[in-house]
Amino acid sequence: MSSASLKPMPRPGILDIAAYVPGKEHAPGVARVFKLSSNETPLGPSPKALDAFKQSAGHLEIYPDGQAKLLREAIADVHGLNAANIICGNGSDELLGLLCHVYLGPGDEGIITEHGFLVYKIQIMACGATPVVAKENDCRVDVDAILAAVTDKTKIVFIANPGNPTGTYVPASEIRRLHAALPPHVILVLDGAYAEYVRRNDYEAGIELVSTSRNVVMTRTFSKAYGLAALRIGWAYGPAEIIDALNRIRGPFNLNAPAISAGAAAMRDQDFIRQAVDHNTHWIERLSEAFTQLGLKVTPSVANFVLIHFPDTDGKRAADADDFLTSRGYVLRAVRSYGFDNALRMSVGSEEANLGVIDALTTFMGRS
Ligand SMILES: *Cc1c(COP(=O)(O)O)cnc(C)c1O
């Protein structure tokens, strides 16, 4: 044996990865905590999804359907897609990982954007490939910066649209311009984790583009508007060749049976999603307005969270606000690891939580 070592050694690059740190959930010493740090919906899941979940509890000894047919058909029906072009995952995180494992190896490059979702970088590095960062322009994905970052080693481009933690979006015309200029062997991944929330005429989640090209994949999740984060359900829509490759390496039973049942019921209850989106649209506007009036800068958001930028003044910085809010039970997300040293991300919560944060920040900013 050459290269002997006295202990098992991870492949090169693995120990360079900084593990993902989820949003905090606790406020020590506070009785009532409002978790606004992980973009979870305040409305929970559809009652129909909950019923389906409970039903499935009667059959836990049976393996789930490895094809997740019930769920893929529900998604296909509601979105008008071919179920054969859909793959489901244990959260969309799993699908982002599978895409990297199928298309990236050492020496390859994956493009991510300046404030992009951290899971992309982790999964690119997990494959021994190199993450290449394209600058954003005032918290917006910059298509020209992405194109300038393309080399002959580029294999994949990840864009969250809307972006997390920025909440901004890339108009459909810009996505199309990017796609048209990418080499045909480069996969463009459009992560639409927050697509349900967007109400803009010039936005598309990517269904059209996937349907008319061979190198675009759209990923979606049940963790946000559908309120099923605990069950871990994601899906991707893509060209047959890509879906086929992903299916070859996924776990044979990657979705559990309660997730398949509850996910299908949730997808078919679009009335519930409309209510969730209405709640969100109302509060995104109200929160953005209230924080702006306090003198805080808010990045315009089309998702279910707002990025709040704090003054660079002693006692008024994001870290100070974080402490102040946490001591009152309002748990927001620090976003330093996303390149924002002086901002917090707040998920839209219940009316009570939202009014509570407005009230607390009013006090924090010395306006009351
Ligand atoms: C929340 C989120 C996801 C969803 O991840 P799941 O694994 O499906 O829970 C994906 N992408 C982005 C950008 C997100 O913010």
Side-chain angles (χ1 to χ4, degrees):
M1 275 277 286
S2 60
S3 69
S5 173
L6 291 173
K7 56 181 186 176
M9 292 298 291
R11 282 188 290 107
I14 297 293
L15 298 183
D16 298 331
I17 297 173
Y20 185 86
V21 181
K24 67 178 175 177
E25 3 181 359
H26 301 294
V30 182
R32 192 119 186 269
V33 175
F34 297 92
K35 186 184 176 207
L36 305 170
S37 58
S38 298
N39 300 341
E40 296 146 342
T41 170
L43 303 187
S46 154
K48 291 177 182 164
L50 206 56
D51 282 348
F53 176 82
K54 287 175 184 161
Q55 285 285 325
S56 70
H59 313 281
L60 295 185
E61 72 284 9
I62 309 291
Y63 272 98
D65 168 18
Q67 312 298 321
K69 195 159 172 280
L70 194 75
L71 178 56
R72 287 191 301 116
E73 284 178 351
I75 296 167
D77 282 354
V78 168
H79 289 274
L81 308 174
N82 183 348
N85 293 85
I86 295 170
I87 179 174
C88 293
N90 189 248
S92 51
D93 286 351
E94 181 188 23
L95 299 167
L96 300 170
L98 293 179
L99 281 161
C100 289
H101 282 280
V102 167
Y103 293 100
L104 291 178
D108 294 334
E109 293 174 355
I111 297 179
I112 54 182
T113 67
E114 187 179 0
H115 306 295
F117 189 42
L118 290 173
V119 168
Y120 311 146
K121 183 178 179 186
I122 292 172
Q123 293 297 345
I124 291 168
M125 292 176 75
C127 300
T130 307
V132 174
V133 180
K135 280 277 182 205
E136 295 191 9
N137 188 359
D138 194 19
C139 298
R140 286 164 199 284
V141 167
D142 180 341
V143 161
D144 294 304
I146 293 175
L147 288 172
V150 173
T151 71
D152 51 12
K153 295 178 186 156
T154 307
K155 295 284 161 59
I156 197 162
V157 174
F158 284 103
I159 297 179
N161 196 23
N164 171 17
T166 59
T168 62
Y169 73 106
V170 189
S173 58
E174 282 291 281
I175 295 286
R176 281 163 196 274
R177 184 165 76 81
L178 169 64
H179 175 252
L182 279 180
H185 67 275
V186 174
I187 295 192
L188 174 60
V189 179
L190 301 173
D191 177 349
Y194 303 96
E196 289 79 9
Y197 289 113
V198 186
R199 287 185 171 169
R200 290 290 187 283
N201 289 333
D202 58 349
Y203 171 81
E204 284 173 11
I207 288 175
E208 284 272 304
L209 199 56
V210 170
S211 301
T212 53
S213 40
R214 300 182 67 176
N215 63 332
V216 182
V217 175
M218 174 189 73
T219 61
R220 301 284 285 265
T221 185
F222 283 75
S223 301
K224 307 289 159 56
Y226 287 87
L228 292 172
L231 288 186
R232 316 298 309 121
I233 314 169
W235 57 283
Y237 172 57
E241 296 93 334
I242 295 178
I243 299 300
D244 170 66
L246 298 175
N247 270 320
R248 288 169 194 257
I249 66 159
R250 70 172 170 85
F253 305 104
N254 59 335
L255 267 87
N256 65 71
I260 293 170
S261 301
M267 179 54 65
R268 293 197 186 278
D269 190 358
Q270 288 295 311
D271 280 345
F272 183 85
I273 295 301
R274 273 185 283 277
Q275 289 169 34
V277 173
D278 282 345
H279 172 89
N280 189 69
T281 306
H282 171 78
W283 280 106
I284 275 288
E285 285 170 19
R286 203 155 153 201
L287 290 168
S288 304
E289 208 175 282
F291 299 149
T292 305
Q293 275 174 13
L294 292 176
L296 298 164
K297 193 180 155 238
V298 178
T299 302
S301 172
V302 295
N304 69 334
F305 52 84
V306 281
L307 186 64
I308 313 166
H309 305 266
F310 286 83
D312 192 17
T313 315
D314 276 346
K316 292 277 180 280
R317 294 195 177 88
D320 305 310
D322 197 12
D323 289 345
F324 186 89
L325 290 168
T326 301
S327 72
R328 281 159 180 74
Y330 304 106
V331 179
L332 276 61
R333 178 64 158 262
V335 281
R336 246 168 268 111
S337 54
Y338 285 95
F340 294 107
D341 284 339
N342 201 18
L344 295 176
R345 190 193 68 195
M346 174 191 173
S347 311
V348 170
S350 64
E351 173 172 27
E352 183 186 7
N354 299 334
L355 292 176
V357 174
I358 293 174
D359 199 48
L361 280 182
T362 304
T363 308
F364 175 77
M365 292 299 286
R367 300 293 179 99
S368 68

